[in-house]
Amino acid sequence: MLRKRLIESAVTEALSRGASQVVVLGAGFDTLALRLHRSYPSVTFIEIDHPATQRHKCAVVEADRAAGDNLVFQPVDLARQTVEEALLRVPEYRRGANSVFVIEGVLMYLSYRAAAALFRLFGAHGGAGSRVVFTVMEPMASGRIDFHNATPLAKQLLRLWREPFKSGIATAELLTLLHEFGFMLASVANAGNMRARYLAGFAGNPPVTAIGEVIGIADKR
């Protein structure tokens, strides 16, 4: 919940500064674009996701007539085409526009090379003022990539779901990577930052938050 709140704040801040399109990669069942698109009718919201997942989401959205003309769903099977190819198939997508690219809960499942390729894509396609909002895993001191306070149950579930983390990026490494593709790291938020921001006035014992995944906000230089 804290992560969702921070990401939404980062997106709406970019929209207030003139961003004209929002691209959510690997959107899953997240409702960010669905919730925001009617409040920003002049902004194009594009969701890119695997057809198997997106099919169910589109069925619900269509049944409720919840989508306006500025909300676009584009399926992509990354085994068959690239994210760039998928974007260029969307008539409403404008390369070079002031854009917000959101990639939440995805990069840790990609190799470092594949993650870097996405940032290269954002740098090449995003116009002046563009922003990338993303989450990455911060490697543990041992180099292992995992939630630092993961319980045995959480670890068993990840194994059961066959969702191994493939890459993590330390903050210092992240700065170099972003700079290479024309971005400046505006902020990094971890569990401690988010607890201080959103749970300072929480009555009683604050809930346990996952440690190890960080949210990065980067703006095009």
Side-chain angles (χ1 to χ4, degrees), residues 76-78 80-87:
V76 58
D77 182 350
L78 293 178
R80 298 176 179 272
Q81 64 179 150
T82 66
V83 171
E84 182 174 28
E85 288 170 339
L87 283 173

Side-chain angles (χ1 to χ4, degrees), residues 21-193:
Q21 68 182 3
V22 176
V23 178
V24 185
L25 302 180
F29 297 128
D30 179 73
T31 61
L32 179 71
L34 185 63
R35 286 183 289 106
L36 292 182
H37 81 284
R38 291 195 182 277
S39 298
Y40 298 89
S42 63
V43 176
T44 302
F45 290 80
I46 302 169
E47 288 198 5
I48 304 289
D49 204 6
H50 192 279
T53 303
Q54 196 174 80
R55 187 180 305 118
H56 296 291
K57 188 174 190 177
C58 287
V60 174
V61 170
E62 290 170 6
D64 289 346
R65 299 180 181 178
D69 293 338
N70 61 322
L71 178 59
V72 181
F73 296 98
Q74 177 63 41
V76 58
D77 182 350
L78 293 178
R80 298 176 179 272
Q81 64 179 150
T82 66
V83 171
E84 182 174 28
E85 288 170 339
L87 283 173
L88 295 177
R89 288 178 60 189
V90 179
E92 296 87 350
Y93 177 69
R94 287 161 294 124
R95 179 173 179 168
N98 183 343
S99 308
V100 186
F101 298 96
V102 180
I103 182 161
E104 176 191 2
V106 174
L107 294 177
M108 62 279 291
Y109 299 115
L110 304 178
S111 66
Y112 181 88
R113 183 177 179 179
L118 282 178
F119 285 111
R120 182 182 297 110
L121 173 67
F122 303 149
H125 279 224
S130 290
R131 164 170 285 188
V132 182
V133 185
F134 59 95
T135 65
V136 293
M137 295 301 293
E138 188 174 45
M140 302 172 73
S142 63
R144 182 178 176 181
I145 304 165
D146 201 350
F147 288 107
H148 301 189
N149 60 341
T151 63
L153 176 59
K155 293 179 181 179
Q156 288 176 10
L157 284 173
L158 287 172
R159 284 195 293 268
L160 178 65
W161 294 334
R162 297 180 181 178
E163 293 192 348
F165 296 146
K166 294 184 178 180
S167 67
I169 308 176
T171 302
E173 189 177 14
L174 192 57
L175 287 167
T176 302
L177 176 67
L178 291 168
H179 188 270
E180 180 181 353
F181 301 121
F183 289 95
M184 177 181 66
L185 187 62
S187 67
V188 174
N190 56 28
N193 303 139

